[in-house]
Amino acid sequence: MKTPAAPHTDAPSAPHGWDTTLTPEAVEALVADAITAPSLHNAQPWLFRFDPERRVFQVRADPERRIALSDPEGRATHLGCAAALFNLRVAATRAGWKPVTTLLPDPADPYALAEVGLDDGRALYDATREPYRKTTETYQWSGEPYDGTADAYDELTDLYPALRCRRTTRAPFSDEPIDEQLLDTLRRAALIEGARLAFADEFHRETVLQLGREAEQRTLSDEALRAELASWAGEAPDGGPRSDGVPTAAFGPRSRAGNGPVRDFDVDGTAPRATVDFEQGPRLAVLGTHGDTPVDWLRAGQALERVLLEATLDGLVTSLASEALEWDELRWAIRDPLTPMGHVQMVVRFGYGEPGPAAPRRTVSEVLTYAGTAGEAPAA
């Protein structure tokens, strides 16, 4: 049986009452991996609370980082927090733990989105074992996650190298086609987490792009929405570096034809940017779930991150498009009626190209607290 080990072998001794393999430094390393996740406008709407006695992380929504106008129901908040939850599962598995996940653990606390217990009850990964692979045809999509299977746990470790390589790329992709076998791998990644990834054909792709452009025009025509978007874009108000949001360097170039398949964060049109041609036929996919409850959103967010990490490992670059999903009537129209998908949760663009710049991140100390210690890590 594999012995659980902290991510850093040079970690200091743990305080009294802590598991010796989970020093404060090891806990912080797990959270540092988790917060590499994507989120709407890079708002980073997550908080983490670690209970050393129970060996449990709680993943919480940060109410101060909710994007009120574009995300009034908190769906995007759930997606972002769930992506960070998935990264935590990956990092914990790589460190030798079995992450046991409970969604919405406290009905009385709407900000408690998940708990992750670190179980050392069995070996998770055998490097000598042939990687487990199945095609999506093997599965019957029920909307239930497969994350309780031994095979699904074992594969989490394989995704770890992609955590800090995944980027949102708002530049053009090449027109090189993506092999169908690779697309099937991405479909399967979503299925494991209880979601479905459906790649758009030419007709559906044009519908998705048109709805995205309509949503962008609606946002820019609404003074309040325009101001909300601008507050998360560009440089920090004090002129210093941002720890959140989308800095100017990450805007990407302008589309020469004015129909780029990415959100344009240059609200006032004054940012110094190149003007280029984007790919003629962007490879778009919609990720969705049977239902549209907070549990479905949490499953979708984990599925989204699993798909993005798998794509990164396989040499693809990605960007996300949620503009049309922020308008109820457009969100319903973006669904492909030929698939059994009930509710679209995200639109993803895949392709080949140069990765985008790394997005800024809040520090671990800003998002991590500890149970039973007034929020601070116990002194070593």
Side-chain angles (χ1 to χ4, degrees), residues 86 223 365 379:
F86 183 80
E223 185 175 347
S365 62

Side-chain angles (χ1 to χ4, degrees), residues 1-5 30 88-100 116-132 147-158 306:
M1 178 175 291
K2 185 179 178 182
T3 302
L30 293 176
L88 180 62
R89 289 169 53 202
V90 169
T93 305
R94 182 253 189 180
W97 302 98
K98 172 185 174 182
V100 180
V116 180
L118 303 183
D119 187 354
D120 59 356
R122 70 172 187 79
L124 292 179
Y125 181 71
D126 181 353
T128 66
R129 182 171 174 269
E130 188 69 21
Y132 177 84
D147 60 351
T149 67
D151 295 302
Y153 274 122
D154 291 344
E155 290 180 20
L156 289 174
T157 299
D158 296 338
R306 189 167 197 140

Side-chain angles (χ1 to χ4, degrees), residues 349-362:
R349 169 176 164 246
F350 298 91
Y352 294 98
E354 293 297 319
R361 285 292 181 268
R362 293 196 285 167

Side-chain angles (χ1 to χ4, degrees), residues 254-268:
R254 291 186 180 86
S255 170
R256 193 184 313 276
N259 59 351
V262 293
R263 190 194 296 264
D264 191 347
F265 283 89
D266 188 9
V267 176
D268 57 12

Side-chain angles (χ1 to χ4, degrees), residues 165-186:
C165 298
R166 182 209 60 78
R167 299 282 189 272
T168 295
T169 303
R170 299 183 180 89
F173 297 169
S174 77
D175 289 310
E176 179 182 351
I178 303 174
D179 185 79
E180 184 62 31
Q181 185 174 358
L182 177 49
L183 300 183
D184 192 63
T185 299
L186 300 176

Side-chain angles (χ1 to χ4, degrees), residues 158-166 308-310 312-313:
D158 296 338
L159 297 173
Y160 184 82
L163 285 185
R164 296 175 184 270
C165 298
R166 182 209 60 78
L308 296 177
L309 295 180
E310 183 67 59
T312 301
L313 282 183

Side-chain angles (χ1 to χ4, degrees), residues 2-363:
K2 185 179 178 182
T3 302
H8 299 292
T9 57
D10 58 347
S13 299
H16 177 71
W18 281 52
D19 189 305
T20 55
T21 57
L22 277 169
T23 65
E25 185 172 296
V27 170
E28 291 163 13
L30 293 176
V31 173
D33 285 332
I35 63 177
T36 60
S39 57
L40 179 63
H41 302 350
N42 191 30
Q44 303 169 53
W46 44 68
L47 294 171
F48 298 84
R49 188 167 182 81
F50 183 67
D51 185 338
E53 297 290 338
R54 298 170 57 217
R55 206 159 60 194
V56 168
F57 280 97
Q58 186 176 86
V59 181
R60 300 182 59 81
D62 186 342
E64 296 183 1
R65 293 188 163 262
R66 184 166 175 173
I67 302 176
L69 298 180
S70 297
D71 185 33
E73 295 181 337
R75 187 179 65 84
T77 293
H78 283 68
L79 291 174
C81 289
L85 164 63
F86 183 80
N87 283 356
L88 180 62
R89 289 169 53 202
V90 169
T93 305
R94 182 253 189 180
W97 302 98
K98 172 185 174 182
V100 180
T101 305
T102 303
L103 301 181
L104 304 181
D106 184 357
D109 185 352
Y111 299 112
L113 301 187
E115 285 190 348
V116 180
L118 303 183
D119 187 354
D120 59 356
R122 70 172 187 79
L124 292 179
Y125 181 71
D126 181 353
T128 66
R129 182 171 174 269
E130 188 69 21
Y132 177 84
R133 288 289 181 266
K134 287 185 178 180
T135 63
T136 55
E137 286 76 13
T138 308
Y139 292 127
Q140 294 295 319
W141 185 49
S142 64
E144 294 297 321
Y146 287 89
D147 60 351
T149 67
D151 295 302
Y153 274 122
D154 291 344
E155 290 180 20
L156 289 174
T157 299
D158 296 338
L159 297 173
Y160 184 82
L163 285 185
R164 296 175 184 270
C165 298
R166 182 209 60 78
R167 299 282 189 272
T168 295
T169 303
R170 299 183 180 89
F173 297 169
S174 77
D175 289 310
E176 179 182 351
I178 303 174
D179 185 79
E180 184 62 31
Q181 185 174 358
L182 177 49
L183 300 183
D184 192 63
T185 299
L186 300 176
R187 294 185 187 102
R188 177 183 174 273
L191 284 170
I192 289 174
E193 300 299 328
R196 187 180 183 91
L197 186 73
F199 285 88
D201 59 19
E202 183 176 355
F203 176 79
H204 188 214
R205 179 185 69 216
E206 292 308 311
T207 299
V208 172
L209 291 172
Q210 181 180 351
L211 292 171
R213 290 191 288 271
E214 180 177 343
E216 184 172 66
Q217 288 303 312
R218 289 188 181 196
T219 298
L220 295 179
S221 300
D222 185 298
E223 185 175 347
L225 286 171
R226 185 186 179 100
E228 182 180 70
L229 178 62
S231 70
W232 292 100
E235 309 315 312
D238 61 2
R242 295 195 72 121
S243 61
D244 58 15
V246 181
T248 304
F251 283 3
R254 291 186 180 86
S255 170
R256 193 184 313 276
N259 59 351
V262 293
R263 190 194 296 264
D264 191 347
F265 283 89
D266 188 9
V267 176
D268 57 12
T270 60
R273 303 155 65 199
T275 301
V276 301
D277 293 316
F278 279 74
E279 64 268 30
Q280 291 296 308
R283 201 63 162 114
L284 302 180
V286 293
L287 183 140
T289 52
H290 271 309
D292 199 33
T293 67
V295 167
D296 293 300
W297 302 339
L298 293 173
R299 288 178 179 169
Q302 292 177 86
L304 173 65
E305 185 68 344
R306 189 167 197 140
V307 166
L308 296 177
L309 295 180
E310 183 67 59
T312 301
L313 282 183
D314 291 326
L316 297 174
V317 289
T318 58
S319 64
L320 305 178
S322 62
E323 301 97 305
L325 307 181
E326 294 158 17
W327 301 85
D328 289 342
E329 62 276 22
L330 301 185
R331 183 185 175 204
W332 178 251
I334 213 168
R335 172 183 169 272
D336 184 350
L338 299 180
T339 73
M341 187 181 299
H343 300 271
V344 176
Q345 306 294 351
M346 186 58 67
V347 177
V348 190
R349 169 176 164 246
F350 298 91
Y352 294 98
E354 293 297 319
R361 285 292 181 268
R362 293 196 285 167
T363 64

